[in-house]
Structures are given as structure tokens and as C-alpha cells.
């Protein structure tokens, strides 16, 4: 990697981070019970059991959000990614997951 340009590093790290981020988001949503457990299926990633949503619209939403993060990382414009879980009726924040990015 020492011969890589800054852009190549951002692209490679962004791709790897975003692959992890997508798995992490699905797992958090399952573990914290944000959606019913029946909506998820058990898979393996990195030789570790994980849960992934089977809901087409949710998967598309997560995928699009992660792609946006990847684009921003490629431009060097991400310091952190935050997943905030909020109460639907009040908007009150229940939990917050922060992924810091320092490339």
C-alpha cells in the first residue's frame, strides 16, 4: 500500500469499511429488535454468524445509505457514521452507535 495514491487508499479502505458497515447495520437492527426477528435470516460473513434483513425495501435503503457513505469516504469527507435508534412516536433517541473514520 505504500505506493498507493491517497485516492487509492480512500477507495480501498472505503470499500472494506462499507462492507463491514452494511453487516453491522443489519446486525444492530436485529440485535436491538428494531424490526421483528422473522424479518432476518442467519448468514455468515467473515466466518462469523450474522443476521441480514430479508425485506427488500429495508435492504435497498441500507445499501443506498452505505453507498453514499462510500462515495463520501472516497472524497475524504467522512469523520463518523452514526446510527441513531429513536422511539417512533416521540423521536426520542434510545441508542446511538458511532463508527469513527480516520483515514
Amino acid at each position: 500500500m505504500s505506493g498507493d495514491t491517497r485516492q487509492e487508499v480512500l477507495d480501498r479502505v472505503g470499500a472494506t469499511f462499507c462492507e463491514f458497515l452494511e453487516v453491522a447495520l443489519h446486525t444492530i437492527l436485529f440485535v436491538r429488535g428494531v424490526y421483528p426477528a422473522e424479518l432476518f435470516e442467519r448468514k455468515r460473513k467473515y466466518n462469523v454468524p450474522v443476521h441480514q434483513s430479508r425485506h427488500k425495501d429495508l435492504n435497498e435503503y441500507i445499501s443506498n445509505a452505505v453507498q453514499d457513505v462510500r462515495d463520501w469516504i472516497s472524497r475524504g469527507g467522512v469523520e463518523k457514521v452514526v446510527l441513531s435508534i429513536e422511539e417512533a412516536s416521540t423521536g426520542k433517541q434510545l441508542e446511538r452507535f458511532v463508527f469513527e473514520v480516520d483515514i
Side-chain angles (χ1 to χ4, degrees), residues 24-69:
L25 294 175
H26 282 273
T27 300
I28 291 168
L29 294 175
F30 172 77
V31 170
R32 300 314 301 147
V34 175
Y35 296 98
E38 306 82 51
L39 190 69
F40 294 84
E41 62 185 340
R42 193 174 168 131
K43 295 201 168 196
R44 290 191 77 75
K45 189 70 173 182
Y46 313 114
N47 205 28
V48 173
V50 297
H51 288 86
Q52 181 177 347
S53 161
R54 294 183 296 194
H55 191 278
K56 179 183 173 280
D57 293 338
L58 177 58
N59 292 350
E60 189 174 297
Y61 179 83
I62 292 171
S63 180
N64 289 340
V66 169
Q67 182 58 52
D68 288 344
V69 170

Side-chain angles (χ1 to χ4, degrees), residues 6 9 13-14 16 18-20 23 25 29 31 35 40 42 49 53 55 64-65 68 76 83-84 88 91 95 97 103:
R6 171 109 173 113
V9 170
V13 170
T16 302
C18 286
E19 184 179 335
F20 160 78
V23 172
L25 294 175
L29 294 175
V31 170
Y35 296 98
F40 294 84
R42 193 174 168 131
S53 161
H55 191 278
N64 289 340
D68 288 344
L83 170 62
S84 177
E95 293 182 277
F97 298 85
I103 304 171

